[in-house]
């Protein structure tokens, strides 16, 4: 493998609080270890279109506390095509970029894996997603901040729920993973969480209504993982039809969950994995995601990080059941 001199860094997919801290860490650790760093704007689209700029420490000064990403981000359909990947590789050659650090979630790391396989380039991934659904790392960049944002929103909604004696179904992000819903339900003292991991033949709503609504408890909070088929609106409509005596409202938190200043935990995680990405390149590693597991930096092959379902600790369901009586 040729000696790596220049490293490109990009953010891809959905933004996550802490991405800027990761960009900062990659840039400063890279320069500290003698690499040239180039920032690539707008994710893989920017790599295709040549939106590349040399980065110095000044480019990343004062960004550790900012949400979003200074490099901007996009979901690139063109990069999924052979022609798009070829254009991206041509940009790397033209810009003298020898390795890529990709900060993003499942789709972004899948793109990095496929790109690395096709063109034999060094790609290192950082787990930047609020969903916490990447295998091999205890937490992903942005997850803790989002969890705290949800918690603040639920605390406010509960004031109204109690004042009006209503059932509130609050929909949170997470796609196919229930980490945000389950843990925000525990932290906020919600009465139930409806999550994809528990989507069995058991009617989660029916079970909740059977045990969770009592004469002594006329207001309830139910956290629901987003779903195109059965999100918060679906369950609220069911309650209105099947239990018409209850006053039901829905709150979909949406994209406000993505923004805001990253927590200390996310800043530290982003900083550790950003430095870990440079260390991986120095060690000659390729095509791995940098994570933190049991407080140790680990390197997880892309194939494991994106293909293996990250298990939710099912004991958390029991914790919520016992505490919501």
């Amino acid at each position: 493998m040729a000696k790596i001199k220049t490293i490109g860094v990009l953010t891809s997919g959905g933004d996550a609080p802490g991405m800027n801290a990761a960009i900062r860490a990659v840039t400063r650790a890279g320069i500290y270890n003698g690499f040239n760093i180039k920032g690539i704007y707008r994710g893989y689209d920017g790599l295709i279109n040549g939106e590349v700029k040399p980065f110095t420490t000044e480019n990343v000064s004062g960004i550790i506390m900012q949400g979003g990403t200074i490099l901007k981000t996009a979901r690139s359909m063109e990069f999924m095509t052979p022609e798009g990947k070829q254009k991206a590789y041509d940009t790397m050659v033209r810009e003298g970029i020898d390795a890529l650090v990709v900060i993003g979630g499942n789709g972004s790391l899948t793109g990095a894996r496929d790109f690395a396989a096709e063109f034999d380039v060094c790609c290192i991934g950082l787990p930047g997603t609020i969903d916490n659904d990447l295998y091999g790392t205890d937490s992903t960049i942005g997850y803790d901040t989002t969890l705290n944002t949800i918690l603040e929103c639920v605390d406010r909604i509960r004031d109204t729920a109690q004042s009006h004696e209503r059932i509130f179904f609050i929909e949170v992000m997470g796609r196919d993973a229930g980490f945000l819903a389950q843990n925000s339900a525990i932290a906020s003292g919600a009465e139930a969480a409806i999550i994809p991991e528990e989507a069995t033949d058991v009617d989660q709503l029916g079970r909740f209504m059977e045990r969770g609504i009592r004469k002594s408890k006329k207001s309830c909070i139910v956290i629901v993982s987003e779903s195109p088929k059965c999100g918060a609106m679906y369950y609220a409509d069911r309650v209105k039809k099947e239990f018409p005596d209850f006053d039901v409202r829905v709150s979909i938190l949406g994209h406000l969950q993505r923004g805001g200043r990253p927590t200390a935990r996310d800043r530290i995680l982003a900083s550790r994995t950003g430095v870990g990405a440079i260390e991986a390149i120095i060690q000659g590693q390729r095509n791995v995601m940098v994570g933190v597991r049991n407080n140790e930096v680990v390197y997880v092959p892309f194939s494991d990080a994106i293909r293996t379902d990250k298990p939710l600790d099912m004991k958390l369901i029991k914790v919520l059941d016992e505490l919501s009586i």
Side-chain angles (χ1 to χ4, degrees), residues 190-193 204-214 217 317 320-325:
E191 279 66 35
Q204 294 185 67
L205 178 65
R207 188 179 65 180
F208 159 67
M209 294 300 294
E210 181 181 337
R211 71 163 181 81
I213 301 295
R214 304 187 316 280
K217 206 168 193 179
I317 296 174
L320 181 60
D321 282 347
E322 291 188 7
L323 297 183
S324 61
I325 60 173

Side-chain angles (χ1 to χ4, degrees), residues 183-246:
N183 284 309
S184 64
I186 293 173
S188 65
E191 279 66 35
I194 298 177
I195 59 174
E197 286 85 350
E198 217 186 354
T200 63
D201 293 336
V202 176
D203 182 353
Q204 294 185 67
L205 178 65
R207 188 179 65 180
F208 159 67
M209 294 300 294
E210 181 181 337
R211 71 163 181 81
I213 301 295
R214 304 187 316 280
K215 292 180 181 180
S216 62
K217 206 168 193 179
K218 295 181 180 179
S219 69
C220 287
I221 299 289
V222 182
I223 312 293
V224 184
S225 283
E226 64 181 351
S227 168
K229 294 183 179 180
C230 50
M233 290 297 298
Y234 165 81
Y235 289 107
D237 288 342
R238 275 193 57 191
V239 172
K240 290 176 183 178
K241 293 175 182 177
E242 299 173 25
F243 306 91
D245 292 339
F246 292 103

